[in-house]
Amino acid sequence: MSNKIKILILNEPEGMGGVTHWRMYRPMLMLESMYADQVEIIWNRGVILPVDMARADVAIAWRPSTPAQLNVLAQVRSLGIRIIIDHDDDLLNVPSGSPAFLAYYNTGHIIKQIVSLADMVWASTAVLKDLYGHPVTAIIPNAVLPSDIVGAPNPVSKTVVWRGDYNHQEDVYAGMSDYFKITRNCKRFVWIGYMPTWQHDDHVEFMPWASVTGYFSLMRQIKPNFVWKPMRKNLPFNHGKSNIAKIEAVCAGAVALTNFSDQPEWKYSFRNMDWDEKQIHGAWEAGRDEIVERYNLESWTHVRFRMINEVLNLGS
């Protein structure tokens, strides 16, 4: 009989969006690879089989918020399976201007019930740790391998990229004044995934979003100098934001450009677009060094494995 820790993934398969990639697929595949002799991942293939639930030691759910997910987690709890909940967004304060608002409207009580069922919560930021308020919470940020980062910053070509979907349109509109400053000073601006219906210049382009892996491939073709990430400062939702955009930028040889510089995760604030090569490349190198030191996926995989063992030993 196998002595491996059996980890049941409760989320159904879905498209490779940013959150799914950074919080579920990549970390769990890394865990499965690094601890192959100690861990078995039971993937949800669209349905959770009773035999899978019966043999699981711990179940992990990402961003659960629906009555159906609450019912599944209550069943998991009744079987004595340990539960870990992972949150990387403030689902209790989704802004009313977001198209995702209706999906989370009036679900706060369900989210809180789900959190109360958990043995442990994983949060991507300290703000989210305080928000969900579980007594056993580990802050586990998004992370990459050093090999995911390009070897050098991109040559200065005065190229800027924005990546996201329509759920970020409120932030985009709040950053209009910065956007027009940027487009007046860049030679190429590329919207990936979503583009607002503004008057555009010839050097502004749109490219569809496919997947995170496709995005990285696209970014290495575009070779931007900056990845623009505007955020409304007066939205509580934004204060829980994690470092995904910054990591994606550095991996692609670029620097994250934001107006939300009061967050510790965002080191590079909006500046005049003077395209100074030394300054841009220096900022990228600082970002690379920080990510290698603080956001190394291998190191955080060891943390996840340790947290899973702690969950299994709770109350023993």
Side-chain angles (χ1 to χ4, degrees):
M1 181 177 292
S2 172
N3 291 321
K4 292 181 178 181
I5 300 171
K6 298 173 180 63
I7 303 171
L8 176 63
I9 305 301
L10 293 177
N11 292 59
E12 296 182 6
E14 57 180 77
M16 282 295 288
V19 171
T20 307
H21 173 84
W22 292 113
R23 302 302 298 180
M24 184 172 77
Y25 283 122
R26 188 83 188 279
M28 291 299 103
L29 288 171
M30 193 72 180
L31 183 71
E32 192 174 39
S33 173
M34 289 177 59
Y35 290 95
D37 58 338
Q38 300 179 65
V39 164
E40 177 186 348
I41 305 293
I42 306 170
W43 294 96
N44 181 347
R45 306 296 181 181
V47 60
I48 301 174
L49 300 175
V51 66
D52 288 335
M53 195 175 287
R55 66 193 185 96
D57 300 303
V58 59
I60 306 179
W62 284 262
R63 311 177 86 182
S65 62
T66 68
Q69 290 168 320
L70 174 60
N71 290 336
V72 169
L73 285 160
Q75 184 180 359
V76 169
R77 166 60 68 208
S78 71
L79 294 173
I81 301 168
R82 298 296 191 183
I83 296 173
I84 297 173
I85 302 298
D86 186 292
H87 277 296
D88 86 313
D89 264 330
D90 179 356
L91 301 185
L92 301 178
N93 292 292
V94 177
S96 59
S98 168
F101 173 74
L102 291 178
Y104 295 103
Y105 176 70
N106 204 29
T107 61
H109 64 292
I110 296 173
I111 293 170
K112 291 175 182 177
Q113 287 181 64
I114 289 173
V115 168
S116 72
L117 289 175
D119 295 287
M120 178 181 284
V121 169
W122 291 348
S124 58
T125 69
V127 171
L128 296 181
K129 175 185 177 181
D130 294 340
L131 174 79
Y132 291 107
H134 193 280
V136 184
T137 300
I139 299 175
I140 301 183
N142 303 303
V144 292
L145 294 173
S147 58
D148 294 325
I149 304 173
V150 296
N154 296 323
V156 175
S157 60
K158 299 188 177 182
T159 300
V160 183
V161 161
W162 181 92
R163 191 277 287 180
D165 60 22
Y166 54 84
N167 285 306
H168 300 276
Q169 62 183 357
E170 198 165 1
D171 288 322
V172 168
Y173 277 83
M176 282 180 65
S177 61
D178 285 347
Y179 168 76
F180 290 118
K181 291 176 187 176
I182 292 170
T183 53
R184 280 197 301 269
N185 287 281
C186 71
K187 290 185 177 179
R188 187 185 186 196
F189 190 101
V190 183
W191 295 94
I192 300 178
Y194 163 80
M195 183 172 73
T197 56
W198 300 337
Q199 180 69 38
H200 295 288
D201 296 319
D202 292 338
H203 64 295
V204 176
E205 308 168 33
F206 170 76
M207 295 184 180
W209 165 265
S211 65
V212 171
T213 52
Y215 167 67
F216 281 129
S217 176
L218 189 60
M219 287 284 277
R220 295 193 181 197
Q221 295 174 37
I222 297 171
K223 298 184 182 301
N225 302 122
F226 290 106
V227 174
W228 181 52
K229 187 66 176 179
M231 289 189 287
R232 279 187 58 184
K233 294 185 179 183
N234 61 344
L235 288 181
F237 178 81
N238 280 343
H239 289 270
K241 285 283 189 180
S242 64
N243 58 348
I244 288 177
K246 179 176 176 179
I247 289 178
E248 290 180 350
V250 170
C251 284
V255 174
L257 189 68
T258 180
N259 61 323
F260 209 60
S261 57
D262 56 323
Q263 285 186 287
E265 291 88 352
W266 295 94
K267 191 172 182 179
Y268 312 117
S269 60
F270 182 78
R271 59 178 68 88
N272 292 327
M273 308 294 286
D274 56 8
W275 302 107
D276 180 89
E277 181 178 275
K278 184 177 180 180
Q279 184 183 51
I280 295 171
H281 287 183
W284 178 84
E285 289 166 359
R288 176 203 57 196
D289 294 347
E290 181 185 16
I291 289 169
V292 170
E293 179 182 347
R294 296 180 56 193
Y295 304 114
N296 188 318
L297 181 57
E298 186 172 329
S299 300
W300 286 105
T301 300
H302 290 309
V303 173
R304 280 186 169 92
F305 182 70
R306 188 173 73 246
M307 293 298 102
I308 289 168
N309 277 282
E310 286 188 15
V311 162
L312 293 174
N313 292 323
L314 286 173
S316 61

